[in-house]
Amino acid sequence: MKRKLEVTELIFKIISYTLLTVFALLCLYPFVYAISASISGAQAVNYGEVVLFPKDVQFQAFKRMFSDNMFWNSYSNTLFLTLYGTIWALGVSILGAYALSKKRLLFRKFFNFFLVFTMWFSAGLVPQYLNYLQTKAVFNSVGIMDDKWLVVIAMGMAAMNVILLRNAFEGVPSEIEEAAIVDGASEFQVLSKVYIPMSKSTIATVALFFAISRWNGYFWARQMISNSNEHPLQVFIRLKLEEFTDPEFMAGWNEVYASDSVIYALIVCSIVPILIIYPFIQKYFAKGVNVGGVKE
């Protein structure tokens, strides 16, 4: 019986590892193809000859991209939105989650229900757009003409992330908080010295969610940022794609690289920072989701 179980477990592991390996390769393939297409010659890309490895290797697409000042400008705008957007959203979420985790909060059940309700139903795209327009008008009236700050402030709330943080805070033993209060700690000190250090994994996970959301943000950035010099990288990529699909613009194209190679080069450069940062946060990811997503 024991030998039969060992054989069954071995077969299960072989099948599981095989399926996971195939799935991992399928996830990796688009990135490998993007790199290959970005450094392949025009004929190889245009005629679909690039399948996995590059052909007629050249780096002119990257050279053209790096020589474009608008690329660097959009990259800096994306870094701005990601950095300040993550800091702002994380601060708002931590404060909101800390308050909602306290049973002594008046109307706590109502506020928690109202938070979850926004995940079930939303006002819709048009009311949200009108709300952002009014916020933009308020910003302009006080002299804030930089639309990037509008995106930072407006995108500073995500109900799911607040719930993850709230559940993580509720998992902190109340005895530790009581001990800190007895020692004379203020409410802010309890949050900063007790709750935040004991919820680092969940906070790191939520920070990653916010950072990726801001880094990949496209729709509202394009709708709300009117100045082309303030467009983030994702909007810049979209505008380049529209430019390269314009027959008039492409009429005189005679480069050694395809226009698609420039797009793929932009995609590669937009992915690299996330690939660099993710391994450092990955150790917190599974633990953070489990701690914040499960409530005893």
Side-chain angles (χ1 to χ4, degrees), residues 3-199:
R3 181 176 178 83
K4 184 178 180 180
L5 289 175
E6 290 178 353
V7 173
T8 304
E9 184 178 356
L10 179 61
I11 295 174
F12 175 77
K13 287 184 177 180
I14 292 174
I15 295 175
S16 299
Y17 291 155
T18 301
L19 292 176
L20 287 174
T21 301
V22 172
F23 181 73
L25 291 175
L26 290 175
C27 293
L28 186 63
Y29 175 74
F31 182 65
V32 174
Y33 176 81
I35 296 176
S36 299
S38 66
I39 60 176
S40 295
Q43 181 176 349
V45 175
N46 290 333
Y47 288 94
E49 298 176 5
V50 179
V51 178
L52 182 61
F53 298 106
K55 293 186 177 181
D56 304 328
V57 176
Q58 51 76 36
F59 295 92
Q60 295 302 313
F62 281 96
K63 184 177 179 180
R64 170 170 178 162
M65 182 185 64
F66 291 148
S67 63
D68 191 340
N69 291 330
M70 289 300 295
F71 165 74
W72 295 110
N73 191 49
S74 64
Y75 219 101
S76 65
N77 291 332
T78 299
L79 291 173
F80 177 92
L81 293 173
T82 302
L83 176 62
Y84 290 104
T86 302
I87 293 174
W88 166 255
L90 200 58
V92 171
S93 299
I94 288 175
L95 293 176
Y98 178 71
L100 292 173
S101 67
K102 298 302 176 186
K103 295 181 180 179
R104 63 179 181 271
L105 176 67
L106 291 177
F107 309 112
R108 176 175 178 266
K109 291 184 178 180
F110 169 76
F111 289 131
N112 277 300
F113 171 78
F114 191 76
L115 179 67
V116 175
F117 186 82
T118 62
M119 298 173 60
W120 300 334
F121 304 98
S122 64
L125 190 63
V126 174
Q128 190 174 0
Y129 177 70
L130 294 176
N131 185 31
Y132 290 160
L133 283 182
Q134 292 178 353
T135 306
K136 183 176 182 179
V138 172
F139 275 38
N140 294 339
S141 65
V142 297
I144 302 177
M145 307 303 293
D146 192 340
D147 291 339
K148 296 195 299 294
W149 282 110
L150 173 63
V151 177
V152 169
I153 301 298
M155 300 288 107
M157 175 58 70
M160 184 61 191
N161 292 337
V162 175
I163 292 173
L164 287 175
L165 287 170
R166 183 202 66 190
N167 291 346
F169 289 160
E170 287 179 347
V172 175
S174 59
E175 292 79 7
I176 299 178
E177 179 184 359
E178 292 171 359
I181 294 175
V182 170
D183 290 338
S186 63
E187 200 74 51
F188 180 77
Q189 288 175 326
V190 171
L191 172 62
S192 60
K193 302 296 184 180
V194 176
Y195 280 84
I196 291 179
M198 296 189 69
S199 307

Side-chain angles (χ1 to χ4, degrees), residues 68 70 74 218 221-222 225-246 249 262-263 266:
D68 191 340
M70 289 300 295
S74 64
Y218 162 74
R222 184 165 187 179
I225 299 179
S226 54
N227 188 349
S228 60
N229 291 324
E230 298 178 4
H231 283 159
L233 185 61
Q234 304 301 332
V235 176
F236 177 74
I237 293 175
R238 177 61 186 178
L239 293 176
K240 278 295 179 184
L241 182 61
E242 293 175 358
E243 184 179 279
F244 288 145
T245 54
D246 184 357
F249 178 82
V262 180
I263 301 299
L266 286 168

